[in-house]
Amino acid sequence: MRACVLLFSGLMAAGAGMTAVGCSGGEQEIKSIKIGVTVYDQYDTFVAQLMTEFDRYAAIKEEETGVAVNVEVYNAADSQSTQNGQVESMIEEGCNVICVNLVDRTDPTTIIDMAEKSNVPIIFFNRELVEEDLERWEHLYYVGAEAFESGIMEGELAAEAFAEDASLDKNGDGVFQYVVLEGEAGHQDAIVRTEYSVSTIVQNGVEVEKLGYAIANWNRAQAQTKMAQLLSEYGDAIELVLANNDDMALGAIDALKAADIPREEWPAVVGIDGTDVGLEAVKNGEMIGTVYNDKEGQALAMLELAYGLSTGGDLSDLELLEGKYIRLPYSKVTADVVDDYIKNSDAEE
Ligand code: GAL
């Protein structure tokens, strides 16, 4: 199939990465598009796996449509000013659309101003900016998930485990003593997941007691260090580790192993993401469960949106909420169903 679409807007016409040749009736044939991407940190496990999926869907799209889908990915390495510079270069290079995984979700102004001035649409993803910022121009979009849903599911996993396995209540007081490992301060997922996971456990009839918490910035090594500190402070009293993501849950497990704590004395550890390593830890029983953050769904939505915006195609199939948002649902992963998720990723390779 060849893409042959109407040149109807300035957005498309502005795209220097696009080759247009004559078609009958004033239509133009798009031969190639250029999608720019900048990620806040290329070493973030979930974001890296999301980008792998994005590249895979771009290759499939190219094959299906015959339109060359060029994707350029930049690493902002945790610097908002670096990221602003990358967006500026991508605009100059003629990217048709730019996908931005903001470093600082409260600071999108420079990017939005540049995009509007050059008429290049922006798809923000994974790190959600506030609604007022997204409303500042009509060609700004967001692809991600609903953070509270992941918190609720994490809380349900913990409450179900407590109800089913009496040994998790190590001191037998009927109360689930927990610690929290949090992602970056100010990140929507960190704030909302912490709040909803705890309130859901309580709503499910389990009494809880917070022993401590630590910020580990989504990072496994930082989580190991922080968990080692929590262990030296609270030791055996910790019955549950609520981690805002899988990498930090795995860091907590690294700390339990490094402290030579026998497996039967480990607290329950629960995460979010369903990264490859996270799913493996659910399968081997080291984690009681995780919440699947649908990287395939998010990557596909980003790609379809980017393609539609670059080619002037129809966006109605994408069912954009308020014309701007695409949010993919989460799902709970326990040992019973983990193989479906592991198989899924194998099947798609
Ligand atoms: C979250 C994800 C984390 C981390 C973060 C980065 O959605 O669960 O693991 O990748 O995004 O913004």
Side-chain angles (χ1 to χ4, degrees):
M1 195 176 92
R2 296 194 315 167
C4 200
V5 295
L6 281 173
L7 255 184
F8 72 92
S9 78
L11 277 179
M12 270 189 55
M18 175 185 73
T19 313
V21 293
C23 258
S24 59
E27 290 178 347
Q28 300 283 316
E29 181 185 357
I30 311 288
K31 287 200 160 175
S32 73
I33 60 167
K34 204 181 207 178
I35 304 172
V37 184
T38 161
V39 296
Y40 90 103
D41 172 11
Q42 69 174 350
Y43 300 107
D44 176 297
T45 308
F46 174 76
V47 171
Q49 291 184 5
L50 176 69
M51 287 320 301
T52 303
E53 294 305 313
F54 187 77
D55 285 341
R56 193 169 63 80
Y57 285 121
I60 294 172
K61 193 75 175 172
E62 181 166 301
E63 196 153 322
E64 276 174 10
T65 59
V67 174
V69 179
N70 301 301
V71 178
E72 273 178 30
V73 183
Y74 291 85
N75 177 21
D78 247 326
S79 158
Q80 191 56 62
S81 65
T82 300
Q83 186 163 63
N84 295 347
Q86 291 169 343
V87 171
E88 189 176 8
S89 316
M90 289 188 275
I91 291 173
E92 278 163 13
E93 283 164 24
C95 284
N96 299 93
V97 56
I98 299 173
C99 302
V100 179
N101 181 219
L102 275 171
V103 173
D104 180 350
R105 59 186 279 266
T106 66
D107 191 14
T109 307
T110 310
I111 291 177
I112 293 174
D113 289 348
M114 288 190 288
E116 185 171 6
K117 202 163 141 227
S118 330
N119 215 14
V120 176
I122 303 282
I123 303 172
F124 292 100
F125 66 100
N126 169 263
R127 299 162 72 85
E128 187 167 353
L129 54 173
V130 295
E131 203 178 335
E132 293 73 40
D133 282 330
L134 205 66
E135 276 166 6
R136 286 179 41 195
W137 183 44
E138 61 181 314
H139 298 297
L140 303 176
Y141 303 87
Y142 178 73
V143 176
E146 202 74 80
F148 74 89
E149 209 180 87
S150 54
I152 290 175
M153 290 184 182
E154 184 173 41
E156 285 172 356
L157 286 169
E160 282 155 19
F162 192 75
E164 279 163 23
D165 182 356
S167 74
L168 290 179
D169 186 11
K170 290 196 268 180
N171 61 359
D173 66 352
V175 179
F176 217 178
Q177 272 83 15
Y178 71 94
V179 297
V180 188
L181 290 172
E182 293 189 8
E184 292 159 273
H187 190 299
Q188 84 278 352
D189 288 341
I191 299 165
V192 173
R193 285 174 183 172
T194 300
E195 183 188 332
Y196 279 81
S197 57
V198 175
S199 62
T200 302
I201 301 175
V202 175
Q203 272 162 28
N204 277 264
V206 177
E207 209 182 316
V208 293
E209 181 189 348
K210 181 176 186 170
L211 297 177
Y213 80 99
I215 293 176
N217 297 307
W218 310 119
N219 181 280
R220 182 167 180 162
Q222 287 184 37
Q224 177 174 353
T225 307
K226 296 289 168 73
M227 183 66 189
Q229 286 162 5
L230 290 165
L231 278 171
S232 64
E233 205 164 336
Y234 304 106
D236 201 30
I238 304 172
E239 296 174 339
L240 169 66
V241 179
L242 284 171
N244 282 171
N245 78 342
D246 283 355
D247 262 14
M248 295 190 293
L250 291 160
I253 289 169
D254 294 338
L256 293 166
K257 288 180 179 168
D260 280 332
I261 298 173
R263 180 78 174 262
E264 59 283 2
E265 290 170 25
W266 284 14
V269 180
V270 57
I272 294 176
D273 274 343
T275 56
D276 297 346
V277 269
L279 293 175
E280 210 40 58
V282 174
K283 188 172 166 75
N284 69 26
E286 291 183 340
M287 277 165 66
I288 60 160
T290 187
V291 177
Y292 200 73
N293 195 355
D294 184 2
K295 57 184 182 301
E296 290 81 11
Q298 291 167 33
L300 182 59
M302 277 165 65
L303 195 271
E304 291 294 347
L305 184 53
Y307 186 84
L309 290 165
S310 303
T311 58
D314 184 9
L315 301 182
S316 61
D317 280 357
L318 296 173
E319 293 177 8
L320 292 162
L321 304 169
E322 297 161 47
K324 285 181 168 289
Y325 291 90
I326 301 180
R327 294 185 197 277
L328 278 294
Y330 287 96
S331 52
K332 283 190 271 186
V333 186
T334 51
D336 308 346
V337 296
V338 72
D339 280 340
D340 298 343
Y341 289 82
I342 292 174
K343 259 190 243 125
N344 274 347
S345 17
D346 284 351
E348 279 164 14
E349 270 167 19

